[in-house]
Amino acid sequence: MDLQQELEQEACWKLELDKVTKLDPSKKKKKKKKRPFIREDATYDSEPDYGYAELLSRVFDMLREEEVSTERPRTVMMRRPQLLAQGTHITVCLDFAHLCTMMHRKPGHVITFLLGQMETKGWLNKQHQLEMKGLVSSQHFQAVFQRYIDAFVICSCCKSSDTALAEANGISTLSCEMMNMKLPPRRYTCKKMKDRLGFRFVLCSAVFMILTQHRALANSHGVNSEEEEWEMVQRKGQQFTLNGQPFYVNGFNTYWMMTLAADNSTRGKVTDVFQQASAVGLTVGRTWAFNDGQWRALQKSPSVYDEDVFKALDFVVSEARKYKIRLILSLVNNWNDYGGKAQYVKWGNASGLNLTSDDDFFTNPTLRDFYKSHVRTVLNRVNTFTNITYKNDPTIFAWELMNEPRCPSDPSGDKLQSWIQEMAVFVKSLDAKHMVEIGLEGFYGPSAPARTKFNPNPYAAQVGTDFIRNNQALGVDFASVHVYPDAWISPAVSDTFLEFTNSWMQAHVEDAEMYLGMPVLFTEFGVSAHDPGFNTSFRDMMLNTVYKMSLNSTRKGGAGAGSLVWQVFPQGAEFMDDGYAVYLTRAHTASKIISLQSKRLAIFNSLCGWRCKWGCKKKNHTALDALLSHDDEL
């Protein structure tokens, strides 16, 4: 390179420097105070010591002058496609027009891709719904739909969904704002472009430094950095995820925690539960966020609450957070214990209504409003221990609409379905961050007559619940199932309990994958010490059976998301024992089984990201293989 070329290049560098380093247009003449451009081959002994405010201002001034966008690529929040089978020959996508509108794509283009991928025929009906020949599973349809989004919606450069689709000569091309961004009319040599990219690197480093300073400042004022990492569990497809990793659940139930926390003499039992559960690796607990009109009632009458009991619930949530355990909070009971729907009916009659059935809870507008008011109060509650609003607290894993809802006065299931649809959307309208589940036992109903053979008895199909149909309601994030062969089949302990458990769990995992496209969590299971023929060895066999079935799905990355044993008790709480209690400090074999399952799931949760295949050879499976080999222990 001759001298003239070097001088020209140096002039270009200085021109770039003048553009990116000026802080105030009014100070153009004070060029001597500007920091010289840093060349790759130059070294400096020191640099200006900027303060926090000055450094922050400098960064944003540079961003504005460089016209570097600070906006994140816009994304489109899309709900899960709603499919409905019409007989055995037609499947309808009810919200197809809405999905196309959200993507800004012509329905004809979407239909051509979907039908070609699924190798079937289809058409738009008069309601602009997509009708497809044959039975199409929700999981398969969502997978094909996701492929369309990846190919024709998401920009491969900036990952933005704000794109346009252009077609020419039968070829479709994507364009977005970043692709169409107008650059300055000057020509840039490779060296100059490298300098611009270098500037962006320095700029990002400055932002990182500012954020680091800010975090250090926050920590100096008592903010725990570990608390900032306590994120919410989310659902992606048929898995739970946490920070991009799978989150399979080994959990427990202890329903009475709020009640005992309301009394200082028994509050310590709540801490004992979380401490012991954490010691064996349990990560999710389930408990009541209701007690309606009973002893130590949370809700003494509609919208009238006992603040001391509410503070007890605050304590339960804060202790769960302390031990890194997340909570499923149930909002009302189907049964009379702790008030339930029967108490709401009593309140309705006391206010002048003429209600004759507990199932009026699901249909009467006044009782629906009573329930909504309770939901609103709980979700908007500010925890007096943590100062975090419930609906913003990652400690809460999910909201449960009702514990074991049933509506036997309407075997068709229409009444309960209407209630679920209204309440799931209502909860989501107040809290879009947390997941919602119904609280079902898992009985199959009229919408899936071929699946009723898996029900434990004929009566189960007549209680107004419908596992597949109920969980297809908008706003429901995952399915729940209970496992109680002793309550549903026969109180006498026998091997049929284990056989039923295997078939019951397998059927629901299959349905969650084929029809629902969501995780299924077995939120209650156990066997009672009051059952004829009960012994702790059989209880341990029940634990083994449930854990094996759950693990079989986990190994495949399936929809079986985990299980919660009913229920964990500390010593000294025997007066609350319903026969199903597992005392971890003295049930040594059961504790080992639970702990081993926790270790296995913890390793699965750390193996891969959500989209990675479980057969990925990039990960070290040695520790997992060692645990999975102990089949005699599980």
Side-chain angles (χ1 to χ4, degrees), residues 232 236 240-247 605 608-612:
M232 289 190 185
K236 287 188 177 180
F240 297 131
T241 63
L242 177 62
N243 294 324
Q245 298 290 115
F247 188 82
N605 291 344
C608 304
W610 171 61
R611 289 188 178 275
C612 186

Side-chain angles (χ1 to χ4, degrees), residues 232-235 240 247 249 284-289 325-331 378-379 390-391 393-402 427-428 431 433-439 475-480 521 523 564:
M232 289 190 185
V233 176
Q234 302 292 330
R235 191 208 96 190
F240 297 131
F247 188 82
V249 174
V284 175
R286 179 170 168 266
T287 193
W288 298 165
I325 292 174
R326 301 170 194 273
L327 295 176
I328 297 175
L329 294 183
S330 190
L331 297 168
V378 173
L379 270 60
Y390 279 32
K391 64 183 180 182
D393 194 344
T395 309
I396 296 171
F397 181 86
W399 301 110
E400 181 176 276
L401 299 182
M402 187 180 210
V427 173
K428 283 292 188 180
D431 178 7
K433 300 176 182 178
H434 284 101
M435 295 182 290
V436 173
E437 53 102 354
I438 302 169
V476 177
D477 293 292
F478 66 93
S480 66
L521 198 59
T523 48
L564 289 79

Side-chain angles (χ1 to χ4, degrees), residues 290-589:
F290 62 82
N291 187 2
D292 303 310
Q294 308 295 301
W295 174 65
R296 290 184 184 172
L298 171 65
Q299 188 177 199
K300 297 187 290 187
S301 60
S303 300
V304 178
Y305 292 86
D306 187 319
E307 180 61 20
D308 291 336
V309 180
F310 233 142
K311 288 180 178 178
L313 183 58
D314 294 343
F315 176 77
V316 171
V317 176
S318 67
E319 285 295 280
R321 185 184 184 95
K322 177 180 176 181
Y323 288 97
K324 299 299 180 185
I325 292 174
R326 301 170 194 273
L327 295 176
I328 297 175
L329 294 183
S330 190
L331 297 168
V332 72
N333 205 359
N334 176 71
W335 312 106
N336 294 347
D337 303 302
Y338 289 75
K341 63 184 182 183
Q343 182 61 57
Y344 278 78
V345 171
K346 290 179 182 178
W347 285 335
N349 285 328
S351 65
L353 300 177
N354 184 23
L355 306 175
T356 58
S357 169
D358 290 347
D359 288 348
D360 291 335
F361 170 85
F362 298 112
T363 57
N364 185 271
T366 300
L367 301 192
R368 287 192 178 199
D369 288 342
F370 285 171
Y371 174 80
K372 287 181 178 179
S373 177
H374 174 64
V375 170
R376 187 182 297 108
T377 301
V378 173
L379 270 60
N380 290 324
R381 169 77 176 182
V382 178
N383 193 306
T384 55
F385 289 85
T386 65
N387 202 34
I388 301 174
T389 306
Y390 279 32
K391 64 183 180 182
N392 296 326
D393 194 344
T395 309
I396 296 171
F397 181 86
W399 301 110
E400 181 176 276
L401 299 182
M402 187 180 210
N403 173 53
E404 299 185 335
R406 293 185 183 185
C407 187
S409 64
D410 177 28
S412 73
D414 292 341
K415 290 182 179 179
L416 182 57
Q417 181 71 11
S418 173
W419 184 86
I420 291 170
Q421 290 173 337
E422 179 177 344
M423 299 311 168
V425 171
F426 177 74
V427 173
K428 283 292 188 180
S429 71
L430 299 176
D431 178 7
K433 300 176 182 178
H434 284 101
M435 295 182 290
V436 173
E437 53 102 354
I438 302 169
L440 294 170
E441 297 162 280
F443 300 138
Y444 292 101
S447 74
R451 306 300 281 176
T452 57
K453 64 183 180 182
F454 293 105
N455 283 342
N457 55 62
Y459 175 69
Q462 303 297 318
V463 297
T465 65
D466 198 327
F467 175 74
I468 295 177
R469 180 190 181 195
N470 294 159
N471 283 299
Q472 288 177 330
L474 184 64
V476 177
D477 293 292
F478 66 93
S480 66
V481 178
H482 295 180
V483 189
Y484 286 117
D486 57 348
W488 298 339
I489 299 176
S490 168
V493 170
S494 68
D495 291 340
T496 57
F497 285 15
L498 306 181
E499 295 171 3
F500 167 77
T501 299
N502 279 322
S503 63
W504 182 247
M505 293 183 67
Q506 182 61 37
H508 287 84
V509 170
E510 291 174 356
D511 292 332
E513 294 173 353
M514 292 294 296
Y515 300 106
L516 301 177
M518 61 172 58
V520 56
L521 198 59
F522 297 90
T523 48
E524 288 189 28
F525 75 93
V527 60
S528 174
H530 300 157
D531 295 338
F534 171 87
N535 55 65
T536 56
S537 296
F538 188 84
R539 193 248 335 263
D540 297 341
M541 290 173 63
M542 186 69 175
L543 281 170
N544 279 328
T545 300
V546 172
Y547 286 164
K548 276 188 177 181
M549 291 300 299
S550 176
L551 199 61
N552 286 341
S553 180
T554 302
R555 284 169 166 158
K556 305 171 186 175
S563 57
L564 289 79
V565 63
W566 182 278
Q567 57 181 324
V568 168
F569 265 55
Q571 292 194 52
E574 287 81 0
F575 62 97
M576 300 294 289
D577 190 352
D578 59 354
Y580 290 85
V582 178
Y583 297 88
L584 294 175
T585 55
R586 63 190 191 214
H588 300 297
T589 303

